[in-house]
Amino acid sequence: MNRRTFFVLLGVPGAGKGTQAKLLEDRLGIPQISTGDIFRYNLKNATELGILAKSFMDKGELVPDEVTIRMVEDRLTQADAQAGAVLDGFPRNLVQAQAFDKITEPYGGISLVPLIHISDEEAMLRITGRRVCRTCGAVYHVEFNPPKQEGVCDLDGGELYQRNDDLPDTVRNRLYVYYKQTSPLIGYYFAKGLLVELDGNQAIEQVQDQLMSLLAMKVAVA
Ligand code: ADP
Ligand code: ADP
């Protein structure tokens, strides 16, 4: 089977995974796959999956593994993912990580796992100021990455909104869930020799440059 390039971005909610994955998509020619975005898309369209996911997302809990893993498997069968993908928000616990190893094994496995570091205080500031385009999902920050016109997406003129789960109480639980369930993946990927770490407390462009130089050696596409 052909080799594919898979990057898994790790970091607390707000670390900048989505922002960086979107930029990598353009630069590397492999799609960003964000499980959070897929759930939100389903929520918007009131699908069965969206309705199921909502009850977990509103509390800041993880959507059950079986549903999430199947969704990623399906997504990877689509035409644009045939050269690989940048995963953002998946895997999020050890069960998902082991499943993803099985899924990617026929294609040469995961190429690299960049971990983006920021403090919890910075995460709170970033998440509570995050705004998302209702139509295309583009991500802004009221202060750190504002749109040209307040409340309006630069890309398609869509309305910007604050995610339900970006309110302070839910954010605290999401950070807790991250430390409890997702952070063990740091050791998991370190042991496999896949982990690289970078400082997320820099401007978006600087983080992107740092990421690109880390990934450059691993890119079999583009
Ligand atoms: P994640 O996907 O890890 O939750 P996002 O990419 O959605 O993170 O970013 C969280 C918020 O922080 C967004 O509002 C985004 O615009 C902003 N942001 C992302 N990267 C940076 C950065 N390097 N500096 C300042 N703000 C950033
Ligand atoms: P953030 O970018 O701020 O980390 P996400 O958009 O990745 O947030 O996730 C939002 C919510 O969607 C999570 O709190 C969780 O409820 C659900 N979710 C996203 N990815 C997964 C996953 N891999 N497994 C389970 N639930 C997920």
Side-chain angles (χ1 to χ4, degrees), residues 38-90:
I38 304 176
F39 286 135
R40 278 185 289 280
Y41 176 82
N42 277 276
L43 197 59
K44 193 172 83 178
N45 293 294
T47 67
E48 212 177 305
L49 175 64
I51 291 159
L52 170 88
K54 183 177 165 40
S55 56
F56 296 94
M57 293 171 84
D58 282 350
K59 288 183 278 184
E61 301 290 335
L62 297 185
V63 178
D65 292 331
E66 202 190 301
V67 176
T68 308
I69 292 164
R70 199 169 346 112
M71 184 176 88
V72 170
E73 261 180 313
D74 279 356
R75 177 66 186 84
L76 288 174
T77 62
Q78 290 176 16
D80 65 338
Q82 299 314 300
V86 180
L87 278 299
D88 147 25
F90 180 92

Side-chain angles (χ1 to χ4, degrees), residues 12-19 126 130 139-141 144-145 202-204:
V12 290
K17 302 179 297 295
T19 301
R126 287 193 187 177
R130 172 161 57 191
V139 174
Y140 298 87
H141 190 282
F144 306 144
N145 184 28
Q202 313 170 75
I204 292 173

